[in-house]
Amino acid sequence: MSPGPRPPLDQVPTAPPLVTGRPGPGRPLLAANDLYVSFPAGPGHRFTAVEDVTFSVSEGETLGIVGESGCGKSTVAKCLAGLLRPDSGTISLRGVPLAARRSRQQHRAVQLVFQDPYSSLNPRLSVRSVLEELLSLHGLARGEALDRRCRELMTLVGLSEGALDGYPSSFSGGQRQRIAIARALAVEPEVVVADEPISALDVSVQAAILALFADLRDRLGIGIVLISHNLAAVRHVCDRAAVMYLGRIIEVGDKEEIFGAPLHPYTKALLAAAPRLRPATDRPRPRLKGEPPSMTARPNGCPFYPRCPRAEPVCEAKPPQLLPAPGGSRRLAACHFREEQ
Ligand SMILES: Nc1ncnc2c1ncn2[C@@H]1O[C@H](COP(=O)(O)OP(=O)(O)OP(=O)(O)O)[C@@H](O)[C@H]1O
Ligand code: SF4
Ligand SMILES: [Mg+2]
């Protein structure tokens, strides 16, 4: 669905249909520009958690963001959703920078789906109550249209209409995550940011939830930012991927390039160590050697230098910039030797 400019809320008597055709990727929808985020680190000190982060997601596109624990993925997600104000940099929707205090419409446009669907759902509210309250609050449906939209949302996320009268405790983890996704979709977002949406789920349902995100992208034409430390999961559904290390994007490009022929030594190592979605058929995977340096003790040169098998003296002295890879592709990599990989 190409959401387009929304009419004022008081002119929306009933919600428009949710399911329409996919416009295809292309138009930049949500963009992060030069994000910089720091946090306090003891009296008088701050450390940089996110630095120089720039990327965009288009209509009908899934962008995967991957990287080890602590590299800044959730911090970026919170900035995208307007829950955290970056020290500098902007988030733009359709080319328009979003204000530090977003309007209700702007909040609707970017919805966050969290890792743990249980703690993000109120156990005392039925699914119907949650959805009806949201739809009413945002003036998206009333009267008979409320029930119709609730049923539509259940269908959209692959649940039966009967699920509307259930409470969170009566559902499995996978079903609860579907409910959390329905809640995010209820306000008709233009972008859904999913922060580790499968990592709290049983392995047997992870692939089904990933398939649901791909289906929603295709049916609704929304942009999806899928954040995961699991490269195999992102590979499953994303169109493009950004790899983060120590608060920076170190490689970004089309899925085939990133997963088929990674350029950056860190991407290669992460890919080699990635678990598969079906562990029953999995072979032992090599582990990524060492731990990332502390955010408070970043190397001066390349952040991957202490762990990199390709490192040379220049890497310790000079930080590499995120620059286009050779061959005219859309891929960018931050490695002094990106042209030789
Ligand atoms: N509110 C905060 N105050 C202080 N430090 C924070 C805060 N939020 C995050 N951090 C720190 O910022 C860094 C990035 O954290 P973030 O949660 O974004 O990482 P992540 O990539 O999402 O990790 P994970 O894969 O474990 O979820 C970490 O060092 C973390 O400890
Ligand atoms: S710049 Fe050097 S240390 Fe950094 S990834 Fe490239 S080869 Fe490794
Ligand atoms: Mg996180």
Side-chain angles (χ1 to χ4, degrees):
M1 177 172 66
S2 179
R6 291 194 172 104
L9 288 176
D10 58 2
Q11 292 177 22
V12 185
T14 57
L18 275 169
V19 181
T20 61
R22 180 187 181 186
R27 278 204 284 168
L29 190 53
L30 189 71
N33 308 292
D34 287 330
L35 288 189
Y36 181 98
V37 180
S38 67
F39 291 116
H45 293 282
R46 297 184 75 82
F47 74 94
T48 303
V50 165
E51 193 171 25
D52 283 347
V53 165
T54 294
F55 63 85
S56 65
V57 63
S58 299
E59 288 180 350
E61 180 183 65
T62 302
L63 172 77
I65 300 183
V66 296
E68 287 167 287
S69 183
C71 71
K73 304 180 298 293
S74 295
T75 303
V76 169
K78 286 174 194 157
C79 291
L80 292 176
L83 302 180
L84 181 69
R85 198 180 296 184
D87 298 35
S88 63
T90 53
I91 306 292
S92 305
L93 185 68
R94 298 184 182 280
V96 177
L98 296 173
R101 285 178 64 84
R102 294 185 186 178
S103 66
R104 185 181 279 186
Q105 294 263 13
Q106 289 171 335
H107 267 298
R108 271 178 58 195
V110 185
Q111 289 292 304
L112 198 52
V113 171
F114 296 94
Q115 173 178 352
D116 180 359
Y118 196 69
S119 61
S120 67
L121 294 170
N122 185 335
R124 290 192 296 272
L125 293 181
S126 70
V127 178
R128 184 186 297 278
S129 316
V130 170
L131 296 179
E132 285 190 350
E133 192 179 312
L134 266 177
L135 293 167
S136 304
L137 183 72
H138 289 279
L140 290 164
R142 59 173 172 254
E144 287 179 8
L146 261 181
D147 177 58
R148 195 168 58 242
R149 176 53 63 90
C150 288
R151 287 189 278 115
E152 221 172 48
L153 283 163
M154 289 297 97
T155 306
L156 199 58
V157 298
L159 291 172
S160 71
E161 294 176 4
L164 281 170
D165 297 311
Y167 289 78
S169 61
S170 56
F171 295 104
S172 69
Q175 288 169 330
R176 284 199 286 261
Q177 195 56 296
R178 288 176 192 271
I179 292 163
I181 295 168
R183 184 181 57 181
L185 294 175
V187 297
E188 299 179 17
E190 301 190 51
V191 178
V192 170
V193 180
D195 188 2
E196 301 280 4
I198 60 165
S199 57
L201 303 180
D202 196 277
V203 172
S204 62
V205 299
Q206 290 183 350
I209 295 296
L210 291 175
L212 173 61
F213 279 111
D215 182 52
L216 295 171
R217 170 200 61 196
D218 294 346
R219 293 170 75 185
L220 303 179
I222 54 176
I224 295 178
V225 179
L226 180 67
I227 292 173
S228 177
H229 62 274
N230 183 336
L231 220 63
V234 169
R235 181 177 199 165
H236 213 62
V237 290
C238 75
D239 302 295
R240 283 189 306 127
V243 184
M244 287 187 72
Y245 189 76
L246 227 59
R248 286 175 163 264
I249 291 179
I250 53 91
E251 185 164 6
V252 56
D254 290 341
K255 166 167 109 172
E256 290 74 21
E257 294 176 323
I258 298 287
F259 295 102
L263 276 184
H264 196 286
Y266 176 64
T267 314
K268 288 181 186 177
L270 200 59
L271 193 55
R276 303 224 167 90
L277 281 177
R278 299 181 202 290
T281 59
D282 204 7
R283 290 187 300 275
R285 313 291 294 164
R287 280 178 59 80
L288 191 59
K289 289 198 184 73
E291 296 293 325
S294 157
M295 285 274 189
T296 53
R298 292 159 165 267
N300 289 327
C302 174
F304 193 49
Y305 170 74
R307 302 167 81 187
C308 181
R310 175 71 179 81
E312 295 197 14
V314 64
C315 307
E316 188 177 13
K318 193 175 151 202
Q321 303 298 307
L322 188 64
L323 294 171
S329 76
R330 291 198 301 161
R331 186 197 339 209
L332 305 172
C335 173
H336 291 310
F337 305 108
R338 67 189 185 287
E339 303 199 356
E340 300 167 19
Q341 305 288 338

